[in-house]
């Protein structure tokens, strides 16, 4: 590849990367998690503060005034509406030269908790899902002082804050595969569920204990360090699942499903127990033992399928 073509390709790649890292316009985000466009919290976080950041990447234009910021329960527009909660403006020089900054929000002061706009809803009430947005707008033009040029509002990409005290629906426990001290639980969770926890009862616990938590998109959870069933029977475990949403709300538990954890000798152990031999490796196994081999495969693990 010619050098100037390579340099052009690298320049284009770096420009695209920079634009993705700092998109054009004004962007509002949570400082701790800049890639997320939304933040959810529950009743236990009502007295917390949230640090919100903003960036201004105004290519080809310049700010012709301050950056106005506010919070609302409505869609973001060019300016705040009655009932919205105004935040401190960012002066024009900071927007133009520094082009980034942060502000601290008190979650309890969001406009959705203002008795003048919602009839007295307070942060901490249960069974509620309320969406707030952090909005911004700044007047921009290619030249603020050119004759005949009227600056136009440039809206910031908003940031969503959701107060959520509605628990998700319980996940569905679809299937349990239990062997050699472990249980693999397949499940189905709804779209509101962020993570799924596996809770276990028995043989020594008097109540369910959460033993593992995975992303809801994973579809199954593995529980380890369980006791295998002995020659005298038992132990029998009860398994159930709970779901958690982004705000940390916990669902009701799923149906409880019993399962015993069986010990296996592994593939070749089960093969030999069924009459197979392996004098010179798997390639030398007599063809007459093919049937016991297939049987061994079927007996290698036990599965409890949930109807």
């Amino acid at each position: 590849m010619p050098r100037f073509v390579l340099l052009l390709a690298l320049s284009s790649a770096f420009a695209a990367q920079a634009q993705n890292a700092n998109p054009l316009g004004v962007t509002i985000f949570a400082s701790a998690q800049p890639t997320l466009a939304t933040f959810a919290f529950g009743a236990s976080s009502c007295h917390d503060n949230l640090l919100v950041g903003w960036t201004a990447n105004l290519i080809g234009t310049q700010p012709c005034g301050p950056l106005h910021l506010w919070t609302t329960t409505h869609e973001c527009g060019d300016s705040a509406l009655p009932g919205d909660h105004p935040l401190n403006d960012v002066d024009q020089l900071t927007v133009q030269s520094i082009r980034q900054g942060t502000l601290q929000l008190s979650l309890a002061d969001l406009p959705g908790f203002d008795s003048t706009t919602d009839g007295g809803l307070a942060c901490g009430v249960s069974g509620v899902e309320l969406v707030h947005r952090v909005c911004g707008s700044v007047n921009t033009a290619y030249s603020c002082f050119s004759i005949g040029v009227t600056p136009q509002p440039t809206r910031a990409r908003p940031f969503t804050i959701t107060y959520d005290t509605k628990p998700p629906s319980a996940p569905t426990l679809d299937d349990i595969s239990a062997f050699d001290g472990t249980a693999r639980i397949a499940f189905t969770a709804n779209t509101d569920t962020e993570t799924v926890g596996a809770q276990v009862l028995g043989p020594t616990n008097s109540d369910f204990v959460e033993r593992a938590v995975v992303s809801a998109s994973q579809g199954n959870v593995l529980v380890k360090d369980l006791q295998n069933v002995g020659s005298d029977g038992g132990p029998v475990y009860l398994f159930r699942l709970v779901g958690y949403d982004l705000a940390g709300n916990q669902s009701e538990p799923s149906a409880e499903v019993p399962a015993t954890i069986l010990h296996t000798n592994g593939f070749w152990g089960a093969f030999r127990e069924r009459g197979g031999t392996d004098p010179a490796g798997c390639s030398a196994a007599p063809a007459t033992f093919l049937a016991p081999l297939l049987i061994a495969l079927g007996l290698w693990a036990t599965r409890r399928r949930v109807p």
Side-chain angles (χ1 to χ4, degrees):
M1 180 183 293
R3 179 175 297 181
F4 74 91
V5 177
L6 176 60
L7 290 175
L8 180 60
L10 289 174
S11 176
S12 300
F14 287 138
Q17 183 178 0
Q19 183 170 336
N20 290 334
N22 190 10
L24 295 177
V26 180
T27 304
I28 303 173
F29 52 89
S31 291
Q33 297 172 304
T35 59
L36 297 183
T38 186
F39 171 79
F41 72 101
S44 62
S45 300
C46 282
H47 299 292
D48 292 350
N49 295 319
L50 178 66
L51 191 64
V52 175
W54 62 269
T55 59
N57 191 19
L58 303 172
I59 303 299
T61 62
Q62 56 182 284
C64 300
L67 170 62
H68 302 291
L69 297 167
W70 68 94
T71 56
T72 182
T73 55
H74 309 286
E75 296 293 333
C76 293
D78 293 336
S79 59
L81 299 174
D84 294 344
H85 182 65
L87 304 171
N88 292 333
D89 289 345
V90 181
D91 63 84
Q92 179 181 351
L93 180 61
T94 300
V95 176
Q96 185 168 4
S97 58
I98 300 178
R99 298 187 297 177
Q100 62 182 351
T102 58
L103 60 147
Q104 188 167 266
L105 295 179
S106 170
L107 295 177
D109 291 339
L110 290 169
F113 304 127
D114 187 344
S115 60
T116 62
T117 61
D118 59 28
L121 178 67
C123 187
V125 67
S126 60
V128 172
E129 185 171 343
L130 184 61
V131 177
H132 315 264
R133 293 176 180 86
V134 185
C135 308
S137 179
V138 57
N139 286 333
T140 61
Y142 70 88
S143 175
C144 299
F145 303 104
S146 296
I147 297 175
V149 175
T150 302
Q152 299 296 319
T154 295
R155 297 181 186 179
R157 292 175 178 83
F159 177 65
T160 301
I161 301 175
T162 302
Y163 172 71
D164 184 7
T165 53
K166 285 185 175 181
S169 301
T172 301
L173 197 161
D174 298 323
D175 184 85
I176 298 180
S177 300
F179 54 90
D180 283 339
T182 63
R184 184 179 298 276
I185 307 172
F187 62 82
T188 303
N190 63 22
T191 56
D192 292 335
T193 303
E194 182 71 10
T195 58
V196 171
Q199 298 183 345
V200 183
L201 174 62
T204 59
N205 300 322
S206 59
D207 199 357
F208 280 91
V209 176
E210 191 162 275
R211 298 285 297 271
V213 179
V214 297
S215 169
S217 62
Q218 186 165 314
N220 64 82
V221 55
L222 188 66
V223 182
K224 301 179 180 180
D225 300 324
L226 302 173
Q227 296 182 27
N228 293 330
V229 63
S231 58
D232 56 348
V236 176
Y237 289 90
L238 279 179
F239 296 90
R240 71 183 188 187
L241 301 173
V242 293
Y244 301 94
D245 61 18
L246 278 173
N249 299 305
Q250 178 179 316
S251 73
E252 292 293 323
S254 69
E256 301 172 4
V257 177
T260 56
I261 315 301
L262 298 183
H263 170 68
T264 67
N265 291 326
F267 173 77
W268 286 113
F271 175 61
R272 295 188 183 96
E273 287 179 355
R274 302 298 300 178
T277 59
D278 181 27
C282 60
S283 61
T288 55
F289 290 121
L290 180 59
L293 173 62
L294 296 176
I295 295 173
L297 280 171
L299 296 178
W300 189 21
T302 181
R303 168 165 292 187
R304 163 79 183 197
R305 184 168 297 278
V306 181

